[in-house]
Amino acid sequence: MAVVSGAVLVGLLLAPLLRGLIARFAVPEGEPWCEACPLCGRAVGRLLPPTGRCQGCRGRLGAGAGAVEAVAAAVAVAVAYAADGPQAAALAWAGALGVALGFTDGRVRRLPYRLSVPLLAGVAALLAVAALAEGRPGVLLRCLLVALTVGALLEVAVQAGALGPGDSPLGLALGGLLGWYGWWVAIGGLFAAVVLAGLWGTLRAAVLLVRRRPWRGVEVPVGPFLLLGALTAVLVR
């Protein structure tokens, strides 16, 4: 119980920073980063309150009230549950930045390099430290091979126009992280991501049909499901 409580506290403490990242980077492709409130011009701080509102005009900035806090706390608990070695630091790094990336992709269908590249670099560095700490430098070769495989698969989809360019570095990072646990865990993570994305798209389409809303297909934000699939694979391995 103490571990869960501590993890929830960590998630809640990180949430204001994650909110700041989401508010700044959740902008459509081609637009400048959000440095100020679009309504009143007040500078967007690095930390934002749980209300998700501008402290000047109370206009909405980024994610809705309480959403980031709930997800960050849940991810922190999942990471604490899955932590069983020095690679937990890489998992925690991916979980924290993954929250910001997931909300950003969900809002604007975009995974900005300003978030995905630090995620990749941090995971690579922390996995290298973990491998040396355990005296298993050879595991890094498997991490690299899995990362390249997942990244290549996603890059094919990017070139085909099915995914955005930010999905490739995210795939490299998650592939390397899952590679620590083995090829089957990585395959399971991809499978879970596909299934979850398919279920979400089907549910969304059904809701639109029931509400008799016009639609020409459902655009699915892939990033959140890649992240959720990876976390699911690690938890059930």
Side-chain angles (χ1 to χ4, degrees), residues 15-23 48-52 61 63-69:
L17 175 60
L18 299 177
R19 275 193 173 277
L21 293 175
I22 295 165
L48 291 179
T51 59
L61 291 173
V68 176
E69 289 72 22

Side-chain angles (χ1 to χ4, degrees), residues 90-121:
L91 183 61
W93 177 256
L97 277 185
V99 172
L101 277 166
F103 273 95
T104 300
D105 197 21
R107 286 181 60 82
V108 296
R109 304 297 189 269
R110 180 186 183 188
L111 294 170
Y113 288 130
R114 293 287 294 272
L115 291 177
S116 58
V117 171
L119 171 62
L120 172 59

Side-chain angles (χ1 to χ4, degrees), residues 119-157:
L119 171 62
L120 172 59
V123 166
L126 292 171
L127 285 179
V129 172
L132 294 176
E134 280 202 340
R136 300 171 55 199
V139 74
L140 293 178
L141 177 59
R142 184 176 67 205
C143 292
L144 177 61
L145 291 175
V146 176
L148 292 177
T149 300
V150 175
L153 289 173
L154 294 182
E155 184 61 26
V156 169

